[in-house]
Amino acid sequence: MLSSRPLLFSLTMGLAVLGWEPGAQAQSSAETLRRIEAAIASAPLAEPAAEAKALRDFYRARQGQPAWNAATAQALLAEARALAAAQGLDPATYAVPNPPGDQDGDVLVSATLLRFGRDLAIGGVLPARNVGGFGAETRGEFDGARFLKALADGKPLAEQAEAISPHYVGYIRLRDGLEKARAMAAAGGWPTLPPGDKLVPGETDDRIPVLRRRLIASGDLGEGFAEGKTYDGPLVEAVKRFQTRHGLDPDGTVGGKTLAHLNVPADARARQIAANLERWRWMPRSFGRHHIAVNIAAQQMEVVDDGNIVMSMRVVVGDVKHPTPSMNTTVSSVVLNPAWRVPSSIANKEILPKLRKDPNYLATSNLQIVDLPEDSTGTAGDGIDWNAIGKKFPYRLRQPPGPDNALGQLKFNLTDSDDIYMHDTNNRKVFGRSYRALSHGCVRLERPVDLGELLLGSRWQGKLSENLAANKSTRTLMLERTTPVYMMYWTAWADESGNLHFRDDIYGHDRRLMTALDRAHAPAPRRTAGAS
């Protein structure tokens, strides 16, 4: 032990000479962390509370030591911008021109990389319902400190980006479609078809060559059909393909709606794709192997069982004044021969004005006033002066089961759904239309009995319709299993062949989301140290 004392003494003296006196290292570390805290406070953070916490955790784990040298920082930022462009994010958001070579600069680089990771993992915009999300509170989690540590440890940014980005095949296909759309836009897009009379098969028109070039550009017509002013068979089929991809009636004629879709610029389609990629980032990491997916914008439903689509059907969704909300919910029961309890909003805004014009409207529509005995003639509103009633309908209304019932024969109950549910309908003609945003918010089903038999299980296969006909009573049946239901707002997607499909922005969600993305992707201003 005595022989070690001179060595220990000499080490202590050496540290003192270097300025590492007892307590000096702790003081230096504390001062470093204070400077780091000041740098975080002045960094341009998009979400200050969450991002500042991630940065603090990252630097505290490093005892305040810098994470990046100049070369590494520039390489990572350049790669982040390239990856952002490929994922539908704005590369300019992640530009840091000439970051200072001090702690402020180190934190600035970290904050920029953190923002890239967060935007890619869970989106740069909150998933509010007015932009087609499930609600701002449903946003996922992102471990920013862990992401930064992986990069500081030398793990490739591309690998980390792949790990945190959505792994859905729908996201990957649409991301590939974005590359094609941007390439088309960069090449000048496609020609604009001049307005004029409807173009119909068999006729000759000077606009036909423009139509041919337009459809060749989008891949709907082969390049070997570029010549000719006659609306011939191959061109008709190309128009039908285009119409199908855009949710239009595939009649092979070019009228006003088809013309409007043909003339949407390529760069506008690229922005639409980018907005839908953002919605994918809001999704849960897995939908589960068994679920129901409703595309509100496409007015279409798919049932997925064990990872495979086993049923699809057309649906009717809410109109512009009564939009069907995007939601993540479940279905666990179905009501057979349901009664319809009329929402007060419909009673106030629609039924009361009709009663003022026609006092017999309740009777002719098979509606009953719930607040009166069923055998009373007053249930049909007899003797009530509807013109003397104010704006608020004073009674509760009910429509009993039967052929006139607005819910049809089946109603599927959804959990915590703001009184939104899926149901049958007594008006089946609407499913023949291409535009089916016609309800008050609920989802009407084209094939409700088929869905009921599938969800109730094998013992009901082929029996539900027979049971409904034989038993007119109202009953609630529990499904074989509780099934997740995702009502989503997709206006752009790519199919298994890579063909891009687009739908109208019926609720304006795309427009609001694009505005929010523009604001979110604008480089945030640096804040004054100490600001919150």
Side-chain angles (χ1 to χ4, degrees), residues 275-508:
N276 281 267
L277 287 171
E278 176 75 357
R279 291 195 182 104
W280 275 111
R281 299 181 192 108
W282 301 336
M283 294 297 114
R285 286 309 175 193
S286 172
F287 289 140
R289 296 189 63 78
H290 311 276
H291 65 269
I292 295 171
V294 176
N295 184 345
I296 298 168
Q299 299 129 58
Q300 192 77 18
M301 169 192 282
E302 292 179 344
V303 182
V304 176
D305 188 33
D306 199 26
N308 299 308
I309 298 173
V310 296
M311 184 180 295
S312 62
M313 69 182 74
R314 291 184 167 197
V315 299
V316 172
V317 299
D319 61 26
V320 175
K321 292 183 179 180
H322 310 90
T324 297
S326 301
M327 66 175 74
N328 176 358
T329 182
T330 60
V331 57
S332 58
S333 64
V334 58
V335 181
L336 280 58
N337 297 309
W340 180 42
R341 296 193 177 275
V342 181
S344 58
S345 58
I346 295 178
N348 293 335
K349 297 177 182 178
E350 298 182 27
I351 294 178
L352 184 56
K354 291 177 180 177
L355 282 168
R356 287 171 178 157
K357 295 179 180 178
D358 178 12
N360 295 318
Y361 179 77
L362 294 184
T364 57
S365 301
N366 196 24
L367 292 167
Q368 300 172 346
I369 295 177
V370 178
D371 309 80
L372 300 174
E374 285 192 24
D375 58 353
S376 168
T377 58
T379 58
D382 295 351
I384 298 176
D385 183 0
W386 298 108
N387 289 302
I389 292 176
K391 295 182 179 180
K392 186 175 181 180
F393 194 85
Y395 307 107
R396 292 174 296 159
L397 290 175
R398 172 183 181 271
Q399 190 177 51
D404 296 328
N405 187 279
L407 303 184
Q409 294 181 299
L410 294 172
K411 170 190 171 185
F412 296 83
N413 292 319
L414 302 178
T415 307
D416 299 327
S417 60
D418 298 330
D419 207 25
I420 299 295
Y421 38 85
M422 304 183 299
H423 63 86
D424 187 12
T425 177
N426 57 7
N427 180 11
R428 312 207 62 78
K429 294 181 180 179
V430 294
F431 294 109
R433 304 180 189 178
S434 59
Y435 183 85
R436 298 183 300 280
L438 304 167
S439 80
H440 284 84
C442 288
V443 177
R444 304 176 195 166
L445 306 172
E446 182 183 27
R447 297 163 53 199
V449 173
D450 291 344
L451 179 64
E453 289 183 347
L454 179 65
L455 297 181
L456 285 167
S458 57
R459 65 190 181 92
W460 281 92
Q461 293 300 310
K463 300 177 182 178
L464 183 54
S465 182
E466 178 183 317
N467 187 283
L468 286 166
N471 187 342
K472 301 296 184 181
S473 66
T474 299
R475 292 156 286 153
T476 299
L477 302 179
M478 301 307 295
L479 303 182
E480 187 174 50
R481 62 175 164 231
T482 297
T483 302
V485 178
Y486 301 94
M487 295 195 184
M488 300 169 286
Y489 192 84
W490 304 119
T491 64
W493 69 92
D495 61 26
E496 60 275 9
S497 299
N499 298 312
L500 287 167
H501 293 252
F502 298 98
R503 292 297 184 269
D504 288 335
D505 182 21
I506 53 178
Y507 298 155

Side-chain angles (χ1 to χ4, degrees), residues 275 353 517:
L517 285 169

Side-chain angles (χ1 to χ4, degrees), residues 54 57-58 114 142-153 155 160:
D57 292 345
F58 173 61
L114 173 66
F142 171 61
D143 191 338
R146 181 178 180 180
F147 176 74
L148 289 174
K149 181 181 184 301
L151 298 181
D153 289 345
K155 294 181 179 178
Q160 297 305 305

Side-chain angles (χ1 to χ4, degrees), residues 115-127:
R115 187 174 183 185
F116 165 72
R118 183 213 61 183
D119 290 353
L120 181 58
I122 60 175
V125 172
L126 292 175

Side-chain angles (χ1 to χ4, degrees), residues 85-131:
Q87 301 279 355
L89 300 171
D90 185 355
T93 309
Y94 317 107
V96 182
N98 303 316
D102 55 11
Q103 285 172 324
D104 282 2
D106 202 81
V107 170
L108 185 57
V109 171
S110 296
T112 305
L113 292 171
L114 173 66
R115 187 174 183 185
F116 165 72
R118 183 213 61 183
D119 290 353
L120 181 58
I122 60 175
V125 172
L126 292 175
R129 281 187 166 179
N130 70 344
V131 291

